[in-house]
Amino acid sequence: VEKTMNLARGGILFIDEAYELGSDTAYAKEAIAQLLTMLTRPEFKNGKTVVILAGYQNEMNKMLDKNSGFKSRFQKYVHFEDW
C-alpha cells in the first residue's frame, strides 16, 4: 500500500473493486489500516493525492460501514447508474 501510494503521490490512485478491502482477510484489514494511515500524512492529504475507490454500490457501502475511518477520509461519493 505504501509503495503504491508513493507512486500516486501528487496524482490519482484508482482502486477498482475496492469493496474487497472490506473482506475479513488479514491482508484486507492490513491494507485498510495502511491506506487510512497514508491518507492522514501531510504529503497525501488535503487534495495532494486523489484516491478513488470504485465498486458495486451495495458492496462499497458494506465495506465503508466496516471501518468508520473510511467515511471520515472520503469527502465525496458518486454513484453512477447502470448503463
Side-chain angles (χ1 to χ4, degrees):
V1 172
E2 186 171 356
K3 179 181 176 183
T4 301
M5 282 293 290
N6 282 322
L7 288 171
R9 185 184 299 176
I12 299 170
L13 173 62
F14 182 87
I15 303 173
D16 196 12
E17 298 181 6
Y19 50 82
E20 292 292 337
L21 293 171
S23 70
D24 290 325
T25 66
Y27 175 79
K29 290 176 184 177
E30 184 178 339
I32 284 177
Q34 184 65 34
L35 181 58
L36 293 178
T37 298
M38 300 292 291
L39 289 171
T40 60
R41 290 186 183 170
E43 63 266 31
F44 296 107
K45 69 180 191 177
N46 297 327
K48 293 179 184 167
T49 300
V50 175
V51 177
I52 300 171
L53 303 178
Y56 298 111
Q57 185 176 17
N58 289 338
E59 288 85 348
M60 292 296 293
N61 287 334
K62 288 177 188 174
M63 183 266 300
L64 290 168
D65 287 340
K66 283 191 169 193
N67 189 306
S68 60
F70 265 132
K71 287 185 177 181
S72 68
R73 286 174 180 83
F74 288 89
Q75 301 170 357
K76 188 159 199 142
Y77 299 89
V78 179
H79 171 70
F80 295 98
E81 296 294 329
D82 291 342
W83 293 36

